[in-house]
Structure formats: structure tokens, C-alpha cells
Amino acid sequence: MLRLIIFLALVTGAAGLGLSTSVFAADPPVALLIQSVGTIEYSHDGTNWAPVRRNRYLFAGDRLRTGDTGGGSLIDQATNTVQRLAANSQVEIAGTTVRLVSGQLSPPEPAVGDLSAGLGNRFIEAQRYTTVRRSLNAATETIHLRLPSQVILSQAFPELVWSGLGSDYSYQLLIDGTVYPVAASADPIIRVRVPNLTPGAHIFSVDILMGGQSIARSEDEGTILWLSPAENAALVEKIAGLRAVAPGDDFIVANLLDQKGISVAAMDLYRHYFDVYPDDNEMRPLLIRVYHQLKLSDHKQQELQIYQQKAARN
């Protein structure tokens, strides 16, 4: 079963309009391998095998096999249950289930922590953002700044972001009418650590300044949903639990933060993950989706190009 289906629409008229009509579609991962030890290998086709060096998401058609000292835990992404794969065993991802080919696989038990965190639906939704339709005449004299319609922040995760417009511009962040100056920066992403707010909804917008004078305002107003101290503490505790079960796995934590709507922190962890594992391209649509939600269009476009190029080579 093909994991990745690539439709390349070779339409001359669309190309002339500066539109990309490439569409990439994939089914969500079925299982997640964690806590692997000893000799363990994976294969996409049952012929070519490679060693497992990290936690790995498994898709329909993938296979795992362990050696004399190998083993690992398989988390079903639909049921959040765990099965332990013993040494000298082999499994295949058959459709949406883990099938034992040889050896031993323990019965499913509830997994500790939410190691699936609603990945399936968001993975499917993320495929929508792997198609780009962009005009060749994007450059205009008008300054445009888009803001996310909603972000969820807390004491542990207080950062707000928007696209930087260049070092000539500084900003004023307005939250419920209170002004917070933001210095000029050449960084492509402007980051602001929002001071503690009262729990609940807060309206924000951004003024764009040049030479200290306001010259434009963001096209949108957005809403900050600030978590209560109890909600913040519960989230921090859940992340600590995931770190204990799967130490060093940024993707699992990013997936949880993404599911909870903590998009900026999720973005940072997704980015770090793909810096370390750039070839795990099948999961890249989730980062593209977060860029889309945060209105970081240039970063979304760059990541999409990486995704398309890597997918076309496979």
C-alpha cells in the first residue's frame, strides 16, 4: 500500500498564473514506537531495512523487527494503548492495526500519558495545507500584517509571534487597549513575551511603526485565551509525564501542545524536531499547519517547498 500518493497537475494555464497545484495526501500514522532498546529495524517495503535510532511513527505497510537484544513499545494512535514488542519478533502495520508476523507482542494496555493527543484528525486536516496557490504579483506597496484569529497562552507558554517586516519597522502590541512597545528587528518572526493576563479572552492587535510613527495596523484583531493557573499547572504536569515516558522526544510534546492549541510552543518543538530529523517528511504537514494557523505565510511556503521536494524524491 502506498503511504504517500502524489498528484502532480501539469496545467500550463495554472503555471502561467503562478499557481502551484501539487497535492500530497497521506493517511495518518497508525502507531508510535517508543522505548526501543537493543537491535531493532524498520522497513517500508519489507525488503530494505534500516536501524531505528529514535522514536518513530509507523504508517500502513511499515514493518518492525527486533534482534536478540531488541524490543520496544508500540502506541496505537487511535486507542492510546500500548503493546510491548519482544526480542526476535516482527510486526507489520496492516491497515490500521499492528499485526504480529513472528515472535511475541503483548496484549494492549492503556498507555501512560496521552501519547496520541488527537494526532489523527489534525494529521488529516494538515494535508489541506500542502497545496499552495500564490500569486506571482504578491509584492505591493501596501504593508500587510496578518495575525492569528486565536492563540492560547499561559504563564509557562507566554510567547506571541507574528511575521517580521524588516529592521526598518518597530511595533506596538495592543492587548485590551494596553500598549506594549516591541523593538525593531530583522528577525523573520517577531516574538513577544506577553505578561501575565487574567484567565480568559483578551483582544489584541499590532501597530506598525517607522521612525516612531504609526504607519499601519494589522489587518486582523486576534484573541488571546489565557489559561488559568490550574490549567497551566495541569498542562505542565502532563508534559512532564510525556517527558518521563519518552525522554528527548520533542515531537510527542509538540503534538500535545498542538492538540491543546498552544501553537507557538508547538511550532518551536516541531521546528527543532525537523532540524534534527529532516528526513521524517511524512510528519512535516503538521508544522505547515501550525505556520498556517499562526499566519506565518513565508515560513509556511518555505516548509511546503521542502515537503514537496522530499516527497517527490520518494
Side-chain angles (χ1 to χ4, degrees):
M1 176 180 176
L2 291 177
R3 179 186 308 101
L4 189 63
I5 303 172
I6 305 176
F7 299 97
L8 297 177
L10 304 178
V11 182
T12 304
L17 292 173
L19 303 180
S20 170
T21 55
S22 299
V23 178
F24 299 83
D27 294 327
V30 175
L32 168 65
L33 173 68
I34 66 170
Q35 299 172 336
S36 57
V37 296
T39 301
I40 182 166
E41 297 176 305
Y42 73 96
S43 173
H44 295 316
D45 56 13
T47 301
N48 300 302
W49 295 84
V52 172
R53 305 190 187 282
R54 57 177 172 83
N55 296 342
R56 173 171 288 278
Y57 284 96
L58 302 170
F59 294 78
D62 285 350
R63 294 168 174 83
L64 282 177
R65 67 185 182 189
T66 57
D68 292 341
T69 61
S73 296
L74 290 168
I75 311 298
D76 187 304
Q77 293 297 282
T79 63
N80 199 46
T81 54
V82 60
Q83 293 177 274
R84 184 71 186 174
L85 182 64
N88 296 313
S89 299
Q90 182 172 331
V91 294
E92 176 186 11
I93 307 301
T96 58
T97 62
V98 179
R99 184 178 73 86
L100 180 65
V101 177
S102 62
Q104 294 182 328
L105 181 67
S106 69
E109 298 178 356
V112 176
D114 191 352
L115 290 164
S116 57
L119 174 61
N121 290 337
R122 280 182 293 106
F123 189 90
I124 293 170
E125 180 195 348
Q127 304 304 314
R128 296 181 354 193
Y129 307 119
T130 60
T131 302
V132 170
R133 294 175 175 84
R134 186 181 60 168
S135 170
L136 289 176
N137 300 317
T140 67
E141 295 181 359
T142 305
I143 296 173
H144 295 285
L145 178 61
R146 300 290 311 280
L147 298 178
S149 58
Q150 177 177 292
V151 291
I152 300 178
L153 304 178
S154 74
Q155 184 176 7
F157 302 102
E159 281 199 324
L160 183 65
V161 300
W162 60 81
S163 291
L165 300 174
S167 57
D168 292 335
Y169 302 97
S170 58
Y171 310 89
Q172 287 181 340
L173 170 63
L174 293 87
I175 302 177
D176 296 336
T178 300
V179 176
Y180 301 92
V182 180
S185 172
D187 292 343
I189 296 180
I190 303 300
R191 293 175 175 269
V192 178
R193 188 179 182 89
V194 175
N196 281 347
L197 301 174
T198 57
H202 303 268
I203 303 300
F204 76 99
S205 60
V206 174
D207 280 344
I208 304 159
L209 285 68
M210 176 178 281
Q213 300 296 315
S214 178
I215 59 172
R217 175 165 287 192
S218 56
E219 295 182 20
D220 325 277
E221 286 187 336
T223 300
I224 296 171
L225 293 181
W226 192 269
L227 299 184
S228 69
E231 291 170 325
N232 178 72
L235 180 59
V236 171
E237 182 178 1
K238 179 163 280 193
I239 290 171
L242 290 182
R243 292 290 193 197
V245 174
D249 193 323
D250 283 337
F251 198 97
I252 289 177
V253 178
N255 180 46
L256 173 67
L257 290 167
D258 191 2
Q259 190 250 354
K260 298 295 185 183
I262 314 292
S263 301
V264 177
M267 173 193 74
D268 289 338
L269 288 177
Y270 281 144
R271 291 175 67 175
H272 181 259
Y273 177 86
F274 289 114
D275 284 344
V276 177
Y277 303 112
D279 292 330
D280 196 5
N281 200 48
E282 291 155 321
M283 307 306 292
R284 199 177 296 273
L286 292 170
L287 174 57
I288 296 170
R289 173 182 173 274
V290 169
Y291 281 146
H292 177 86
Q293 290 176 326
L294 293 173
K295 300 297 189 289
L296 300 174
S297 56
D298 288 346
H299 285 74
K300 174 188 170 185
Q301 173 67 21
Q302 292 165 9
E303 204 67 28
L304 175 58
Q305 290 174 352
I306 294 171
Y307 173 73
Q308 291 177 327
Q309 290 166 2
K310 287 182 176 292
R313 291 199 295 265
N314 293 334

